[in-house]
Amino acid sequence: MSAEGKLKEMGLVLPPAPPPGGVYRPVIITGNLLYLSGHGPVREDGSLIKGKVGIDLDKDQGKDAARQVALTMLSTLQAQLGSINKVKRVIKVLGMVNSSLDFEEHPYVINGCSELFRDIWGEENGIGSRSAVGFGSLPGNIAVEIEATFELNQ
């Protein structure tokens, strides 16, 4: 099944693709690689999921925020490419968690994104290499920011 078909089958609704929040491009394509700038957790109504994981949000709420980031990323891919079917596979995910100093479960939180990508593109193409790290703050106090690199179909 195609990525678009999987998205529909899962009944997922994408939030609006966010405009750049600074001087950068949301997407850069070079050769068959697509670099997707950092995204935050945008809800369907355009609001953001904010707060520190380990203080304002528990690890499951953080994981839900990372899943929402993945949906936001899919929205940008769809807006920029016309279809997420143009993505062949996930190459690399960098997940940044706005967390308390003693929070240690950053990989668990970023699984919210990684699991959704796996569900969309499958085990072989939806799981890439990954880093999951904690930060003392993120822009606008968003809970999670994620960037990724994808391989495009030729």
Side-chain angles (χ1 to χ4, degrees):
M1 178 179 292
S2 72
E4 292 274 350
K6 199 66 163 160
L7 192 66
K8 287 179 183 155
E9 178 185 78
M10 294 171 70
L12 298 174
V13 177
L14 299 180
V23 182
Y24 66 89
R25 296 176 193 271
V27 169
I28 294 287
I29 297 172
T30 182
N32 67 336
L33 294 178
L34 181 147
Y35 296 87
L36 187 62
S37 293
H39 278 62
V42 179
R43 294 182 179 108
E44 282 181 55
D45 66 3
S47 67
L48 297 167
I49 300 171
K50 296 183 176 194
K52 277 195 184 299
V53 180
I55 297 175
D56 308 307
L57 307 168
D58 65 26
K59 70 179 187 176
D60 291 317
Q61 290 170 313
K63 185 177 181 181
D64 289 343
R67 187 175 194 277
Q68 194 62 42
V69 175
L71 291 170
T72 306
M73 296 167 84
L74 292 173
S75 181
T76 294
L77 289 171
Q78 195 171 61
Q80 295 285 322
L81 299 173
S83 172
I84 62 171
N85 289 338
K86 293 183 179 178
V87 173
K88 179 178 180 179
R89 70 180 193 163
V90 178
I91 299 293
K92 169 80 176 175
V93 170
L94 169 60
M96 298 160 273
V97 181
N98 183 5
S99 61
S100 63
L101 292 176
D102 61 345
F103 186 77
E104 298 178 346
E105 298 187 65
H106 309 93
Y108 177 85
V109 169
I110 301 305
N111 279 346
C113 174
S114 297
E115 290 169 1
L116 182 61
F117 286 173
R118 178 203 57 209
D119 293 346
I120 295 291
W121 285 289
E123 291 280 337
E124 183 65 28
N125 292 326
I127 301 174
S129 62
R130 188 181 88 176
S131 298
V133 295
F135 280 75
S137 69
L138 289 174
N141 197 35
I142 58 175
V144 179
E145 181 174 349
I146 302 173
E147 65 178 49
T149 305
F150 299 89
E151 180 181 358
L152 298 174
N153 289 309
Q154 292 296 334

